[in-house]
Amino acid sequence: MNVEQINKWINKVPILEKLMAYNPVFWMNPNYTYSHNALKKLSFSISDMIDAESRLMRFQPFLEKAFDLDGIIESPLIELEEYHKESKVFLKGDHALPISGSIKARGGIYEILRYTEQILFKYDLLHINDDYSILSNESYQRFLNKFEIVVSSTGNLGLSIGIISAKLGFKVYVHMSHDAMQWKKDMLRSLGVHVIEHTSDYSQAVIEGRKASDSKENSYFVDDENSINLFMGYAVAGLRLRNQLKDKGLNVSKESPLFVYIPCGVGGGPGGICYGLKEVFGDLVHVIFVEPTHAPCMLLGMATETHDEFSVQDFNLDNITIADGLAVGRASKFVGKTIEELLFGIATVEDDELLIYLKRLVDQYELYLEPSALAGFKGLDVLLKQDVDLYGNHVITTTQIKNGTHIVWSTGGNMVPKGVMEKYYENANK
Ligand SMILES: *Cc1c(COP(=O)(O)O)cnc(C)c1O
């Protein structure tokens, strides 16, 4: 964009000036409103979440057999004792999700299971009341090998889709953006997944992946930017968290609401979880996303209300960050529109701050998270520092913040090789 166009935008949306200077910001969404009003405008509902949960349960016998799991694909809710002197802080540990060790084990795996069911139902090879553990029989793998899965990724989505699809027998093609870590590509290749490396960023890798898939019959493109299936796979987390809070005897109320902080890249993962939480907890949950100062695509899209019209590069930001999972220059329009009135706000975080959180989690709690997965802590810090009540369509008081339950969503880490993790820690010490 030229200087004149940029200045016009800054006049209209003043926060853009700080954003363009790479300064960390906290943006409160002016369209945030009561969940009842916001949710009724959407084309899906909690029954779609319940449908997704039932599908996951149908596949449970297969997942247990194929991956030697002894429970569902869910992560622990871990109390971080003494993180803050006054408020209760928890970590939602998606870094420890089974099968692929990141938040992508929710949406990514779910979408492939849904597609598998669709194909096998169509060919009359599977029925809804079957014991799905039969899917580990070789005959199914041979059949599914006629079908191709294509996905574009900064790393973790490719890992998640690659692992589950290869296990089911599909041919898999993963288009990786230049951010993707070497070890993620190596791991996929070792599973027989075709990895196509791009020198461009994520948005371009999506265009290339979609093109490659569209040119072939029997090829299914997992569309991270637009897929309602991925979104529902993430949303199921809302139902699961409700049970976990109950099990821990944690009461969610007006006096003690939930505050949830989630790292955001293109938006699918955090968007789906935000939606799911709103369906379950309504006005008793407030969700904050966190993005790198160098890649604040969702903030840009939502604050200008243009969603995917501009990339961060259009505003002279470079989209370069150690948070590889969040290195996305253009946000999902589908997600931005869906959460337009459901999201409380977005904070941005610097790479150096991510490393400080990384070191603290290792030193104080022996938890090993990848840089992207630590972004949520910045949202928590921002909120706990508020010394005046926050006024929007909702009033959020400092007393509610103090008495609330704070959940930082940790989005990845368990698959990171030891040597790579040690490097992060060394850099944090510097
Ligand atoms: C993908 C990812 C995110 C964000 O999810 P989006 O759907 O891209 O917004 C956050 N953290 C990690 C570790 C990820 O891999």
Side-chain angles (χ1 to χ4, degrees), residues 93-368:
D94 278 12
H95 63 283
L97 274 177
I99 302 181
S100 75
S102 84
I103 186 172
K104 305 298 195 302
R106 295 184 185 279
I109 290 174
Y110 174 72
E111 168 132 19
I112 297 304
L113 298 181
R114 195 207 59 93
Y115 179 59
T116 302
E117 224 182 29
Q118 190 185 317
I119 294 177
L120 295 177
F121 283 2
K122 180 176 156 196
Y123 288 88
D124 207 25
L125 293 169
L126 184 72
H127 307 97
I128 202 157
N129 291 322
D130 285 346
D131 175 345
Y132 282 23
S133 64
I134 51 171
L135 296 180
S136 24
N137 294 352
E138 218 189 302
S139 59
Y140 282 98
Q141 289 167 25
R142 235 174 304 144
F143 178 78
L144 291 173
N145 199 251
K146 295 182 204 147
F147 299 86
E148 291 184 8
I149 306 278
V150 181
V151 66
S152 304
S153 173
T154 60
N156 284 339
L157 185 64
L159 213 52
S160 167
I161 300 269
I163 292 170
I164 184 72
S165 306
K167 191 62 109 179
L168 283 158
F170 288 106
K171 281 200 188 73
V172 201
Y173 296 83
V174 176
H175 290 254
M176 289 289 201
S177 69
H178 68 86
D179 315 277
M181 306 281 290
Q182 190 58 44
W183 66 266
K184 295 180 184 173
K185 301 181 221 172
D186 294 343
M187 185 178 285
L188 284 173
R189 287 192 172 119
S190 77
L191 297 170
V193 172
H194 304 274
V195 177
I196 299 107
E197 300 182 57
H198 292 277
T199 52
S200 52
D201 81 351
Y202 172 75
S203 306
Q204 191 60 33
V206 170
I207 293 170
E208 299 292 333
R210 185 182 284 125
K211 204 162 63 184
S213 180
D214 286 352
S215 69
K216 284 188 188 169
E217 255 180 88
N218 277 359
S219 179
Y220 181 77
F221 183 64
V222 177
D223 190 341
D224 198 8
E225 292 173 340
N226 297 298
S227 169
I228 293 185
N229 303 314
L230 267 174
F231 194 80
M232 281 303 153
Y234 290 115
V236 166
L239 303 168
R240 305 269 181 84
L241 188 66
R242 172 168 61 193
N243 295 337
Q244 285 184 317
L245 289 169
K246 235 187 243 155
D247 289 346
K248 289 200 184 296
L250 283 162
N251 192 28
V252 182
S253 65
K254 195 162 181 212
E255 292 69 40
S256 175
L258 274 184
F259 296 92
V260 181
Y261 311 92
I262 321 175
C264 180
V266 74
I273 290 172
C274 172
Y275 162 73
L277 290 171
K278 280 292 180 185
E279 283 284 6
V280 171
F281 297 103
D283 296 323
L284 302 180
V285 65
H286 303 291
V287 180
I288 290 176
F289 288 177
V290 185
E291 298 184 290
T293 51
H294 285 246
C297 63
M298 189 57 77
L299 201 170
L300 186 73
M302 289 187 77
T304 58
E305 298 186 23
T306 59
H307 302 294
D308 62 352
E309 196 177 324
F310 301 110
S311 68
V312 301
Q313 288 94 338
D314 289 333
F315 284 84
N316 301 330
L317 295 167
D318 62 15
N319 189 23
I320 292 173
T321 167
I322 56 164
D324 47 316
L326 313 180
V328 177
R330 196 185 295 272
S332 158
K333 180 178 186 176
F334 158 63
V335 173
K337 290 294 264 182
T338 302
I339 60 170
E340 208 157 37
E341 300 183 345
L342 295 171
L343 184 71
F344 174 26
I346 303 178
T348 59
V349 62
E350 295 181 312
D351 281 4
D352 285 353
E353 297 177 283
L354 294 176
L355 289 175
I356 292 170
Y357 296 128
L358 185 141
K359 183 172 155 52
R360 179 164 179 196
L361 268 281
V362 171
D363 293 348
Q364 200 174 339
Y365 303 101
E366 277 185 71
L367 290 168
Y368 294 82

Side-chain angles (χ1 to χ4, degrees), residues 21 58 72 293 312 393 430:
R58 288 199 289 278
I72 58 172
T293 51
V312 301
N393 280 323
K430 287 178 203 153

Side-chain angles (χ1 to χ4, degrees), residues 1-12:
M1 261 195 292
N2 65 36
V3 178
E4 200 185 327
Q5 287 166 312
I6 286 179
N7 283 339
K8 243 195 208 154
W9 272 115
I10 291 175
N11 271 334
K12 224 169 136 182

